[in-house]
Amino acid sequence: MDKQQTQDQINALKKVLNQYNYEYHVLDQPSVPDAEYDQRMQELLKLEEEHPDLVTADSPSQRVGGPPLDAFQKVQHNIPMLSLGNAFNETDLRDFARRASQGIDGEISFVCELKIDGLAISLTYENGEFIRGATRGDGVTGEDITSNLKTIHSIPLTIEETETIEVRGEAFMPEKSFHALNKAKAANEEEPFANPRNAAAGSLRQLDPKIAAKRNLDMFSYGVGEWNAAEITSHSERLNKLKALGFKVNPEWRKCATIDEVIEFVDYWTNERPNLNYEIDGIVVKVDSLDQQDELGFTARSPRWAIAYKFPAEEAITKLTNIELSIGRTGVVTPTAVLDAVKIAGSTVQRASLHNEDLIREQDIRIGDTVVIKKAGDIIPKVVRVVENKRTGDEKEFFMPKNCPACGSELVRLEEEVALRCINPNCTAQLKEGLIHFVSRNAMNIDGIGEKVIIQLFQEELIHTMADLYRLDREELLKLDRMGEKSVANLLQAIEQSKQNSLEKLIFGLGIRFIGAKAAKTVAVHFETMEKLQQATYEALVEIDEIGEKMADSMVKYFSEQKVIDLLKELSELGVNMTYTGPKQSEGETDSIFTGKTVVLTGKMESFTRNEAKALIESLGGSVTGSVSKNTDILVAGEDAGSKYDKATELGITIWDEQQLKDMTED
Ligand code: IVH
């Protein structure tokens, strides 16, 4: 092959690799399998190795990271990279709109964009080639981080525009990359990054581009610095042009004709924010017309034509006044931080989960400490860290007790578990939690009895076991606080009705370890009566599809306990149905609660990503769709569920929370 042929081949490979890269990283629509990309890249690397003089700065091979630098060069921003003024509420946004319309003639329209929580960068292209990438620095002088930025696949190395153009945008670390990075750091016993922004900044500050290359960063472009494109008259046209040139523009921008529409956009994203797979810290509102932007101009620090609405803080500092213990229905003892009340993201927080003693030791959390609390769309707020310089010396170290705080029996740490457990089957705290589970919707579904009533009944010693629920009488109940004739009558009717439940609800309600709603249904269908299930051997149980060894083992142990035998006898004598009354199933056919059901997911969940929840439901025969309609069977609503929740309520659609989804899919 002569030099010209080699050159032609290299050019062809570069072209096709850049195209594949664009499809994968910018459009999110790969047209070829990864292996095809890898193979072409190997071919290019081989040719470039044989002909180093043919390696160019725009070669896709440069994305793996060039040689390490000694230091970053300084870069002057000819047009300063300014920051934005802030708005914290609706009034601030309306004031901004008023100021803007007073400053110009004619109607105003706005463009709203997500405010990506990363770091501002500038990309310069000359003759269609990416020649320099820089940080914002102090706005006037930044640092040249070109080699690091080349490793970001969504940044084009070449564009079809010969004029010099400076594109600005936000480099960031997607959540998935962030979690993977922190996991790897933890495995190496290194300090994790506190958040994706710090991780992105830390990665781009590395002198060795090979490190940045491994961090899977991304970038959204949202504006330009130097660029004279006379034909473009508005910011929205500019975003479209950037997209057409091959830059990744966040698709969630919207043109708004009024400030009311802007506020609607802000409200929408306040709710939907947890569902994104990258972090945003607000909404940027920009006047759309470029002429109007010019008219409005700048103050010393920021443009008058744009403002950044900031979401309420999700972290807060407060005092940890105590550590309390709670006992779950399986006996796990969990420490909980009691806090001086503090507002985070609009809600008051007084408690935070500490998970287990190992975590308390790792973070060296002491009673009396000043701590940082975070509530990032999570259901339960967490203690992020201790503010050590606030220590007075009076803080007390916390140790888990040796005995159960409810029943006094010795706590044990089961093999492979970090948690401590009370294994006393008569522990009152466990019984109480077990009863709360027993009456819950997916179990015996006893309407009108929730956690509060169970606690009351327990305190009044009206119930000790599940069977006691069926012995409650009207007179006793009427003596309870906030229990009138009507609520007592409703409650007794709900209890009575629950006696007719099909067997699977009772099995699930018993709270046997590892037996979720699905396994309960499987064994109910298989054995049809409680009696047969009680007599089932380990071998007979594991033979059933979908019943694993752990489940079979757990059931055999559970049903062999005298206490359980007595309880089931009592329940049966009290009239609780012990047979499966659902539809019969033919051999081999397994049905799930999701079979043929249409499910919509909304809000943020702790234990599943959207995709995991979707895959799970689909694997159980359900289909997952994006919007709520009258054809929706179930809405699963995580934390901060927004308009979909409202719509489902309006249409009377069954709504589950995350726990219910977990219960239904546990096995
Ligand atoms: S426009 C004149 N749009 O927020 C400044 N900024 O203070 C023009 N940011 O550091 C900035 N997402 O890095 C703009 N869609 C977006 C943004 C965005 C994030 C950052 C930017 C800057 C800060 C604003």
Side-chain angles (χ1 to χ4, degrees):
M1 199 161 36
D2 69 20
K3 199 86 183 174
Q4 187 55 48
Q5 282 172 316
T6 312
Q7 177 76 72
D8 290 347
Q9 203 177 346
I10 287 183
N11 285 348
L13 282 167
K14 285 203 286 200
K15 191 161 178 232
V16 74
L17 281 164
N18 278 332
Q19 178 63 22
Y20 291 165
N21 180 72
Y22 172 72
E23 288 165 354
Y24 188 100
H25 293 280
V26 179
L27 300 181
D28 210 4
Q29 280 166 354
S31 65
V32 291
D34 292 1
E36 164 76 13
Y37 180 92
D38 294 343
Q39 199 185 329
R40 297 268 168 256
M41 180 60 96
Q42 288 312 319
E43 286 169 32
L44 177 64
L45 288 171
K46 185 159 174 282
L47 285 175
E48 287 186 343
E49 202 184 328
E50 289 162 7
H51 304 275
D53 54 317
L54 296 181
V55 180
T56 55
D58 70 342
S59 169
S61 63
Q62 300 307 298
R63 294 204 188 269
V64 293
L69 310 173
D70 295 327
F72 294 123
Q73 301 298 313
K74 296 278 178 243
V75 174
Q76 288 298 115
H77 299 300
N78 291 339
I79 298 181
M81 291 181 77
L82 299 180
S83 62
L84 296 174
N86 290 326
F88 295 101
N89 49 45
E90 202 181 306
T91 314
D92 294 348
L93 284 169
R94 290 191 188 280
D95 286 348
F96 159 73
R98 196 168 314 114
R99 281 195 308 272
S101 47
Q102 280 164 359
I104 48 160
D105 294 329
E107 292 289 297
I108 292 195
S109 57
F110 304 97
V111 167
C112 287
E113 289 167 26
L114 305 186
K115 187 168 181 302
I116 314 297
D117 200 5
L119 61 154
I121 52 170
S122 136
L123 312 171
T124 304
Y125 291 77
E126 272 176 16
N127 292 317
E129 224 178 88
F130 175 45
I131 56 142
R132 191 173 48 252
T135 61
R136 173 172 180 268
D138 62 6
V140 178
T141 312
E143 284 179 327
D144 185 332
I145 53 163
T146 314
S147 337
N148 282 340
L149 290 177
K150 276 188 179 173
T151 70
I152 301 183
H153 286 256
S154 48
I155 296 181
L157 298 176
T158 54
I159 56 170
E160 283 186 16
E161 167 66 75
T162 46
E163 256 197 76
T164 298
I165 165 171
E166 184 200 345
V167 174
R168 291 181 177 177
E170 199 83 355
F172 65 98
M173 186 175 281
E175 255 172 29
K176 201 171 149 203
S177 318
F178 174 67
H179 292 308
L181 173 61
N182 268 356
K183 209 169 156 192
K185 282 196 159 268
N188 289 333
E189 296 189 358
E190 288 172 40
E191 189 72 16
F193 281 111
N195 53 50
R197 178 168 28 85
N198 290 1
S203 305
L204 289 176
R205 228 180 274 126
Q206 298 284 339
L207 289 167
D208 181 358
K210 294 216 164 41
I211 300 181
K214 287 197 194 110
R215 299 279 170 92
N216 294 315
L217 298 167
D218 206 342
M219 177 189 173
F220 284 126
S221 301
Y222 52 65
V224 296
E226 287 181 85
W227 191 28
N228 303 313
E231 77 278 14
I232 290 176
T233 63
S234 67
H235 182 67
S236 42
E237 284 170 27
R238 195 179 261 168
L239 290 176
N240 287 330
K241 178 75 184 177
L242 285 173
K243 189 174 166 206
L245 283 173
F247 292 94
K248 189 161 172 172
V249 173
N250 188 296
E252 308 297 353
W253 64 272
R254 185 174 132 192
K255 202 168 153 172
C256 296
T258 62
I259 195 69
D260 286 325
E261 278 183 38
V262 169
I263 289 163
E264 222 175 81
F265 186 90
V266 165
D267 288 346
Y268 177 81
W269 282 105
T270 305
N271 284 327
E272 280 300 309
R273 174 189 181 196
N275 296 326
L276 291 167
N277 49 22
Y278 46 86
E279 288 203 352
I280 60 172
D281 59 344
I283 300 294
V284 180
V285 188
K286 301 172 182 174
V287 168
D288 193 27
S289 150
L290 297 187
D291 280 346
Q292 289 181 342
Q293 287 191 2
D294 283 344
E295 256 181 89
L296 287 164
F298 297 82
T299 68
R301 294 177 52 236
S302 51
R304 288 198 191 89
W305 45 264
I307 198 157
Y309 169 82
K310 290 280 191 71
F311 293 129
E314 295 209 319
E315 278 190 1
I317 291 185
T318 188
K319 195 157 180 169
L320 188 155
T321 55
N322 198 7
I323 294 179
E324 284 181 1
L325 298 167
S326 62
I327 298 136
R329 90 183 136 88
T330 56
V332 173
V333 183
T334 314
T336 303
V338 181
L339 309 164
D340 276 347
V342 62
K343 265 209 148 164
I344 313 180
S347 59
T348 305
V349 170
Q350 278 177 295
R351 299 171 79 80
S353 169
L354 292 170
H355 300 287
N356 54 55
E357 193 176 17
D358 288 2
L359 186 126
I360 298 175
R361 283 288 95 69
E362 264 162 39
Q363 300 196 10
D364 190 19
I365 298 167
R366 303 180 192 176
I367 297 171
D369 263 336
T370 300
V371 288
V372 177
I373 306 295
K374 184 168 184 167
K375 187 173 183 283
D378 291 334
I379 296 162
I380 309 158
K382 289 186 185 118
V383 174
V384 184
R385 63 178 176 277
V386 170
V387 187
E388 283 192 27
N389 61 13
K390 289 268 165 90
R391 281 206 170 136
T392 61
D394 293 337
E395 295 75 18
K396 285 195 194 69
E397 265 195 84
F398 171 82
F399 294 95
M400 287 293 267
K402 298 243 173 310
N403 298 84
C404 173
C407 70
S409 60
E410 202 174 323
L411 297 177
V412 294
R413 194 181 253 227
L414 297 185
E415 235 179 303
E416 291 171 27
E417 284 191 349
V418 265
L420 278 180
R421 237 177 236 284
C422 167
I423 50 167
N424 168 17
N426 295 316
C427 170
T428 48
Q430 280 179 64
L431 292 175
K432 191 179 77 200
E433 294 300 321
L435 277 160
I436 293 170
H437 171 75
F438 185 78
V439 299
S440 68
R441 188 152 19 153
N442 296 325
M444 295 300 272
N445 191 18
I446 305 184
D447 245 4
I449 302 196
E451 187 166 343
K452 281 200 187 113
V453 177
I454 292 283
I455 293 173
Q456 247 185 326
L457 293 170
F458 233 80
Q459 276 165 353
E460 298 298 323
E461 300 214 4
L462 293 178
I463 53 171
H464 300 96
T465 71
M466 293 162 187
D468 291 339
L469 275 172
Y470 295 95
R471 298 193 183 97
L472 286 171
D473 73 28
R474 188 176 153 274
E475 304 304 318
E476 282 173 334
L477 287 170
L478 278 171
K479 285 188 212 137
L480 295 178
D481 270 359
R482 292 184 301 273
M483 280 283 186
E485 282 284 356
K486 188 147 191 291
S487 36
V488 169
N490 287 342
L491 204 141
L492 286 171
Q493 203 206 336
I495 294 176
E496 194 57 31
Q497 219 168 8
S498 76
K499 290 182 182 170
Q500 307 308 322
N501 286 338
S502 182
L503 179 62
E504 67 276 18
K505 294 194 86 96
L506 173 62
I507 300 172
F508 176 57
L510 292 173
I512 309 166
R513 272 192 92 192
F514 309 123
I515 306 302
K518 191 167 163 258
K521 174 102 189 264
T522 305
V523 290
V525 170
H526 188 91
F527 292 103
E528 291 183 347
T529 69
M530 182 62 93
E531 203 183 341
K532 284 193 208 147
L533 174 63
Q534 283 178 270
Q535 285 157 7
T537 60
Y538 172 85
E539 289 71 26
L541 284 162
V542 279
E543 223 170 72
I544 306 171
D545 259 0
E546 298 176 44
I547 300 297
E549 293 173 7
K550 255 172 144 179
M551 292 185 204
D553 191 44
S554 168
M555 281 190 275
V556 171
K557 280 200 185 119
Y558 180 83
F559 289 116
S560 68
E561 280 180 42
Q562 190 56 44
K563 214 179 67 145
V564 172
I565 298 169
D566 295 344
L567 170 71
L568 293 173
K569 187 160 170 273
E570 276 179 76
L571 285 172
S572 172
E573 282 165 7
L574 287 160
V576 175
N577 169 51
M578 299 275 159
T579 57
Y580 175 69
T581 56
K584 288 264 180 299
Q585 251 159 340
S586 52
E587 200 59 39
E589 184 192 344
T590 53
D591 214 348
S592 99
I593 188 108
F594 295 108
T595 309
K597 294 275 166 68
T598 303
V599 184
V600 175
L601 303 168
T602 187
K604 171 116 179 166
M605 288 187 257
E606 261 213 332
S607 328
F608 309 95
T609 65
R610 267 290 166 87
N611 283 341
E612 282 165 1
K614 184 169 184 277
L616 188 63
I617 292 167
E618 286 172 351
S619 74
L620 295 170
S623 58
V624 175
T625 60
S627 56
V628 174
S629 73
K630 61 179 184 348
N631 297 326
T632 308
D633 294 300
I634 302 161
L635 176 82
V636 181
E639 179 82 344
D640 289 336
S643 54
K644 290 182 192 171
Y645 185 95
D646 298 338
K647 183 141 189 220
T649 318
E650 208 177 286
L651 294 173
I653 286 158
T654 303
I655 299 176
W656 287 359
D657 61 14
E658 183 180 355
Q659 187 56 48
Q660 282 168 292
L661 178 66
K662 269 164 85 180
D663 286 344
M664 289 315 204
T665 54
E666 208 162 56
D667 338 305

